[in-house]
Amino acid sequence: MRPHEIDETERLKVLQAYEILDTAPEDAFDQLVRLAATVCGTSMAALCFVDSEREWRKALLGCDIVEVSRNDSIAARMIEGRSDFGGTSGDTAHRTAGTTPDGKYFACAPLVTPEGCLLGALLVMDDKPYAPTPAQLESLDALAQQAMAQLELRRYRHRDPESQRDRIRQLADSMPHIVWAANPDGTIDFANHSIVEYAGVRYAGDIGRLWTELLHPDDVERTLREWTESVQTGRVFSAEYRLLRGIDQAYRWHLATGMPVRDDDGNIIRWYGTTTDIHDMKLAHDEIGRLAFYDTLTGLPNRQLLMDRLTHAVTLHERIGRVGAVLLLDLDHFKNINDTIGHNNGDLLLDLVAKRLIASVDASQTVARLGGDEFVIILEDIGICEEAAAGSARHVAYQVLNVLNAAFNLGGYERHITSSIGLALFSHPAPSITELLKRADLAMYQAKKMGRNTVCFFDPAIQEVALLRATLEAELRQALVRAEFSLYYQPQVNSSGAVIGVEALVRWQNPQRGTVSPAEFIPLAEDTGLILPLGRWVLEEACALLVGFAAAPATRELHVAVNVSALQFRQTNFVAELLAILENSGANPTRLKLELTESLLVEDIEVAIEKVIALKQHGVALSLDDFGTGYSSLMYLKRLPLDQLKIDQSFVQNLLHDSRDLAIVNTIITLGTTMGVGVIAEGVETAAQLDLLINIGCTLFQGYYFSRPLPDQQLHEYLQRHVLA
């Protein structure tokens, strides 16, 4: 008979006969609920029984709602065979998973009597999305069956001892689990047929002796001690131990639970218990623990376990007055491995690095994978003073560098790698764990700045710089939101002094700091990616200015030059985005000039050439900024359709006093003339500089000699005097 086919009136009578509703908590059921939550990996669990009006919960974990109305009961809907709770049936026994009416994710297994009457369910729940595995559902079934076995034992606690024994024997042999009984003195004198089948013996004659022989040798003393304590105190017996299985002589984990039966005077007259195979559940639980605390690729402790061990180490060293260290290691150019010989070999490298790190330090030290290609080593008790500890930490760090410098065989590819290591000491008083790792991280990045493949200790001065940088970054983000940026424009003129255009220069007016130098915030914007929204805004403002220029005949031919960052230019959609800005603004593309740096062209010259050609086809002019200071190459000058070379101001400033600077400037002008490319000199500050530049053939100029960068209103006043007059 299927569980839900029993008449509801009859089902309620059966439930009433168990006398379970509204009773006090019992250890045996509480432990089953805790085990269910552990095995299924949920934060909540409950053992539920359903009467005519409600779902009542005998045992609870993770919640304090003892009962809910029958309309809101998952167990009731299971009994009624309904599916309006978003659940899916796991099998014919109505094992179910889904979502509760209040949005919790659940799985449950039915509590079914030997006669097929469904009394309720063993329920696990979680607020987070949860989908139980088939193995977890099977484990939940097994625990529900054990709960039912305990309920049966409880049902007959107050019956006549002889009738109890007869009934127990009948029920016991019908159950798939091992069911046992014991005298008041703790002598086990009965077990059902399941022990015979499990152990592979002919009969369970001397079950007391047989039981201890089946126990794993390592579990005998502990288990017997716990059983004796329960017998002496009358407390519920609960223990996990391994039993020898006859078919393969393998030891498997079991959970045993025993309950005392008392007479009217409270004296124990009998013990009844069940023993359930939880081997697969326990292995699954251990695996869950391993996944939670260990890195799946390398087998090293992961970030969570690292934080736990580091907390313990810092606390201990602070108490005993010893010094320890955190060593944070990052592989240099690890991305190149993935990009050249594949991610599978990149993973292999990480695993091999982990093995070398473990081999290079004492077994007592923790080696962990922080994430990506970063590893952490906790060096404990390495000195009584910081000087001695620093020496020990440095020795280990360089030992690690040397170990990692040896070649790695990666799937037939021989590769050499280097690493950068940051070190931070801890003793008393100790920083927070987060702060300690931050210090090691700062030191590691300082090691990279020093050329990589080296070791660097944390320096408070570095932290101060990093803190200032972080503060500036936060203010920079706010500046974009609060529109604290503005454009200044520096005129560009020809040899006759006529204005031919302007260069747009971004300025930041910070409410607290005042004017922030572009040399300070532009590199930061590049590093953080904030240059992308900032660069787009500059282009939009420049195009708006061009539209304004086009409205007057005298300024119609003026151009606006805009600096484009390397990160901005390398965006795959840069050309399309720029053309969209031009189209939306209505600006003339031939009046817009983009100033590109030489370093921008080095990383991927072919892609750069494609973008430059695409922009030229739409009329956009291009100038090579700071020419002569970077990776000057005649090859890309030949291939790139540039309109202009811009002589860097560093050459112009020393033009009158350094013959080498004069020779460089002269060469650039000659090169531009020969190739048919315009040349403009920036940083012109004196009449003498201007005269010399004109004499050697330069025709375009920019600098303080003509005008400082001007805000929008002052620019219009300048143009009024020099162009519109």
Side-chain angles (χ1 to χ4, degrees), residues 517-550:
S517 168
E520 188 175 358
F521 74 82
I522 291 295
L524 180 60
E526 287 265 11
D527 291 344
T528 59
L530 294 174
I531 196 69
L532 297 178
L534 179 59
R536 179 184 175 87
W537 174 80
V538 171
L539 286 171
E540 290 172 343
E541 290 295 302
C543 287
L545 182 64
L546 282 175
V547 172
F549 283 170

Side-chain angles (χ1 to χ4, degrees), residues 670-686:
T670 302
L671 180 64
T673 302
T674 304
M675 299 185 68
V677 177
V679 177
I680 183 171
E682 69 173 341
V684 180
E685 297 182 353
T686 67

Side-chain angles (χ1 to χ4, degrees), residues 281-447:
M281 287 187 286
K282 190 171 181 66
L283 292 183
H285 178 248
D286 292 344
E287 177 65 9
I288 290 171
R290 191 187 68 80
L291 293 175
F293 295 107
Y294 290 87
D295 177 52
T296 55
L297 176 63
T298 63
L300 295 177
N302 62 11
R303 176 186 286 269
Q304 184 172 346
L305 185 54
L306 166 68
M307 299 298 279
D308 180 70
R309 291 188 179 178
L310 189 54
T311 299
H312 174 78
V314 168
T315 302
L316 176 64
H317 284 63
E318 190 171 27
R319 187 174 72 248
I320 65 176
R322 303 284 291 183
V323 184
V326 170
L327 183 156
L328 196 153
L329 175 152
D330 182 271
L331 302 183
D332 299 326
H333 305 300
F334 174 71
K335 183 176 181 294
N336 291 344
I337 298 292
N338 285 334
D339 291 345
T340 55
I341 57 177
H343 287 268
N344 58 325
N345 283 313
D347 289 346
L348 175 59
L349 174 61
L350 293 173
D351 188 41
L352 294 175
V353 165
K355 288 180 171 59
R356 290 193 186 183
L357 292 179
I358 292 172
S360 65
V361 299
D362 293 339
S364 60
Q365 314 291 22
T366 293
V367 179
R369 184 183 177 201
L370 192 60
D373 59 338
E374 288 188 337
F375 297 84
V376 169
I377 300 176
I378 304 175
L379 302 176
E380 297 190 46
D381 195 11
I382 54 174
I384 58 174
C385 65
E386 290 196 351
E387 183 178 355
S392 298
R394 183 182 292 107
H395 174 76
V396 173
Y398 278 103
Q399 182 174 294
V400 167
L401 284 183
N402 292 332
V403 165
L404 296 183
N405 281 340
F408 288 86
N409 186 333
L410 305 175
Y413 298 96
E414 184 177 289
R415 290 292 185 270
H416 290 265
I417 65 164
T418 61
S419 60
S420 300
I421 297 176
L423 281 167
L425 301 177
F426 59 87
S427 56
H428 178 78
S432 68
I433 303 306
T434 302
E435 176 64 24
L436 183 58
L437 286 175
K438 186 189 299 181
R439 291 179 180 182
D441 191 59
L442 287 169
M444 182 271 291
Y445 277 106
Q446 186 65 20

Side-chain angles (χ1 to χ4, degrees), residues 130-145:
Y130 169 69
T133 65
Q136 287 175 328
L137 286 174
E138 289 180 8
S139 298
L140 196 61
D141 268 341
L143 291 173
Q145 291 173 30

